[in-house]
Amino acid sequence: MHSYGTGEAPPRTPTTAPDLAPRTAVGEEALLDGGPAHGTRLRVLDRPAVVQVTYPCRTEDDPTPFRVDALYVYRRDPRVHHEPLRYGYDHASP
């Protein structure tokens, strides 16, 4: 699996909000490939183009009134049309 660059995504047409109730919104199985969350399986709704993964970071001055997270971006592989969908780690993401 290859990572994808940070090209601009085409504009999305607004749709009705997905039903987030677990019994009615089953979603599709997805697999994260590469990066810090390699091998993680999850369920996604509406085949999002990008999935963000965060990881908590410790601050030097514990406790603090804020939280710091590392952000990782995974982009959907458009060649995969069946479960599990594949999301490749984007090395160029912030």
Side-chain angles (χ1 to χ4, degrees), residues 4 7 10 12 17-18 25 28 33 36 62 69 78 80 85 88:
Y4 294 94
R12 293 185 68 176
E28 294 178 275
D33 190 21
D62 277 339
D69 290 336
V80 178
L85 300 174

Side-chain angles (χ1 to χ4, degrees), residues 19 30 48-49 78:
D19 182 1

Side-chain angles (χ1 to χ4, degrees), residues 7-74:
E8 256 187 61
R12 293 185 68 176
T13 305
T15 60
T16 59
D19 182 1
L20 300 180
R23 21 187 206 321
T24 58
V26 177
E28 294 178 275
E29 184 178 349
L31 175 66
L32 302 182
D33 190 21
H38 177 74
T40 301
R41 292 183 177 271
L42 61 142
R43 287 218 162 280
V44 295
L45 298 174
D46 296 332
R47 294 187 174 194
V50 175
V51 173
Q52 294 181 352
V53 174
T54 61
Y55 187 80
C57 299
R58 286 190 89 131
T59 58
E60 297 274 329
D61 304 323
D62 277 339
T64 60
F66 54 87
R67 189 173 106 180
V68 178
D69 290 336
L71 173 68
Y72 302 98
V73 174
Y74 288 79

Side-chain angles (χ1 to χ4, degrees), residues 73-87:
V73 174
Y74 288 79
R75 297 187 184 278
R76 184 170 53 84
D77 184 342
R79 300 169 295 182
V80 178
H81 301 287
H82 54 79
E83 291 186 79
L85 300 174
R86 288 174 114 27
Y87 285 80

